[in-house]
Amino acid sequence: MLKVRIIPVLFLMNGNIVRSEGFEHFKIIGNPVSELARYSQWRADELIYIDITRDSEYFVQRQDHKDRIASDLLSIVQQIADHASMPVTFGGRIFNLAHVDSLIANGADKVIVNTGAYRDPSLVSAIARKYGSQAAVVGIDLKRDGGGKLVMHVEQGREAVTDDCVDYARRMEQAGAGEIFVNSIDRDGSSRGYDIAAIRSIADAVRIPVVACGGVGRFENFAPAVRDGHASAVAAGNIFHFTENAYPNAKRTLKRQGVNVR
Amino acid sequence: MIGIVGYGVGNVRSVLSALQRVGASAKVFENPSEIAAFDKIILPGVGAFAPAMEQLNVLGFRDALDDAVKVRKVPLLGICLGMQLLADKSMEFGEHSGLGYVPGVVRKIPINGDLRLPHMGWNDLTVLRSCPLTQDLSGETSCYFVHSFALQAENPDHVVATTDYGGPIVSVVRADNVYGTQFHPEKSQDNGAKILSAFVKL
């Protein structure tokens, strides 16, 4: 039977791997290519790299400066893809097909689009048409408001939108997304566990795989996303960066809790 | 030297990198006339069947492949969509003819209940008959799959391995010098490396 995937998420900022906490604070913890060796040794199922560089470089008007940033990222993508013997997904500030073309030409297997898909759903269809649905992952960032209601956000958590996330997930599936990545940004870095209800409401509404993210602090937090949340894959950032032998321990814990993993 | 068909479909970089990792000499070729230089061919592929077949035809790979495969009897490995292209035809978005090297039809994976498409992730191979590609696999046999359609082989003797996803789906085929893997061996870590290595050593 198909195994549940355990996917480390790595955040890239200005070419370094960083830890995030609630999308507000960042700390450099490593270099993308050497981190890959660690995950390869752990036989990680898959990797997701998200570029969260959102500061002024991307808004500078000088084209040559923008191009240098872009080519630095692409050369990182290339180095990662050349050494990765498992699928790698890249994301972060993807707003047009040309950017996707560059990432895939440099070795990305899948791309994840968040704000870009929200602003222009036809981007998802374009990716699916050109590379297949499996290459188009749509990310949905969620926060619960004071009353506990799920609010979808874009722009790396800075802008709340009124779309219902379940309805949005369905529309993205229809647009051609091959996978939905559900991220609880208020639980990010908090170690409170996944937002199971949010994951489940989306997973139950679509027939494509759903990846859970946001909130893992203990290895025991993974299993509920599958058992109760109906996720096909469990993702996390911090726990894999800070705990010794985190990946094998995550796998062991999931197995012990009866989840079918590799 | 292994030739990887460069027809603009599929991530040839990954296949090239994976072959280099197992110590093979390989090259991506975009001109069909170069095919004579290779003693083994890999046909990668990602995406939809019809546009891929069209690319092969339009770029002139059809005749070159037929000659290499049927006349020179060069070993050919089709990966993912590349394996599906080996079939007689596919029912994806209409009915489209394939290369016809492995008799059979490509159809959507029949799913029910909780199963989702694409079939995406690591899943085990159940090896049904001996084959050089799979002979080094033992114990944990999972490989990385990502597809929504699967080849239904007409001749059961061509089915080397199946994988369970709502029932058995064909995961490895062999018809004489033609081989196919529905999963991506270049993305399947050690098991994938064993399979690629075995192909290289044929």
Side-chain angles (χ1 to χ4, degrees), chain B residues 59-133:
Chain B
L59 294 173
F61 275 105
R62 189 58 193 269
D63 290 342
L65 284 168
D66 281 349
D67 179 74
V69 167
K70 295 190 207 175
V71 179
R72 282 204 294 139
K73 297 247 168 214
V74 158
L76 172 84
L77 171 63
I79 294 174
C80 194
L81 177 64
M83 166 170 141
Q84 294 177 6
L85 296 176
L86 303 175
D88 290 321
K89 64 180 180 186
S90 170
M91 307 307 289
E92 184 183 1
F93 299 134
E95 189 174 315
H96 303 279
S97 298
L99 294 165
Y101 301 154
V102 179
V105 180
V106 174
R107 287 195 175 90
K108 195 153 201 185
I109 300 169
I111 52 158
N112 45 44
D114 300 330
L115 295 186
R116 296 166 188 265
L117 285 182
H119 171 218
M120 178 166 1
W122 297 84
N123 204 343
D124 298 313
L125 304 186
T126 299
V127 179
L128 301 176
R129 50 185 43 80
S130 81
C131 170
L133 290 203

Side-chain angles (χ1 to χ4, degrees), chain B residues 6-191:
Chain B
Y7 63 126
V9 176
N11 195 347
V12 295
R13 275 195 89 90
S14 304
V15 176
L16 195 55
S17 301
L19 286 169
Q20 282 161 355
R21 281 198 294 271
V22 300
S25 301
K27 185 180 173 255
V28 178
F29 69 109
E30 285 162 4
N31 186 340
S33 62
E34 291 176 52
I35 204 169
F38 306 110
D39 45 41
K40 293 187 184 77
I41 312 283
I42 290 186
L43 180 66
V46 159
F49 190 97
M53 269 316 296
E54 185 170 332
Q55 282 291 98
L56 282 180
N57 288 327
V58 157
L59 294 173
F61 275 105
R62 189 58 193 269
D63 290 342
L65 284 168
D66 281 349
D67 179 74
V69 167
K70 295 190 207 175
V71 179
R72 282 204 294 139
K73 297 247 168 214
V74 158
L76 172 84
L77 171 63
I79 294 174
C80 194
L81 177 64
M83 166 170 141
Q84 294 177 6
L85 296 176
L86 303 175
D88 290 321
K89 64 180 180 186
S90 170
M91 307 307 289
E92 184 183 1
F93 299 134
E95 189 174 315
H96 303 279
S97 298
L99 294 165
Y101 301 154
V102 179
V105 180
V106 174
R107 287 195 175 90
K108 195 153 201 185
I109 300 169
I111 52 158
N112 45 44
D114 300 330
L115 295 186
R116 296 166 188 265
L117 285 182
H119 171 218
M120 178 166 1
W122 297 84
N123 204 343
D124 298 313
L125 304 186
T126 299
V127 179
L128 301 176
R129 50 185 43 80
S130 81
C131 170
L133 290 203
T134 50
Q135 69 196 10
D136 297 325
L137 296 180
S138 65
E140 205 276 326
T141 60
S142 64
C143 291
Y144 197 93
F145 289 81
V146 56
H147 62 122
S148 302
F149 285 74
L151 170 59
Q152 291 170 351
E154 199 174 286
N155 183 346
D157 290 339
H158 291 162
V159 179
V160 170
T162 58
T163 291
D164 177 45
Y165 196 60
I169 53 177
V170 176
S171 43
V172 181
V173 289
R174 179 197 180 174
D176 198 8
N177 53 309
V178 175
Y179 301 81
T181 60
Q182 179 59 73
F183 51 86
H184 286 271
E186 76 281 13
K187 294 279 155 180
S188 298
Q189 287 167 346
D190 29 9
N191 286 334

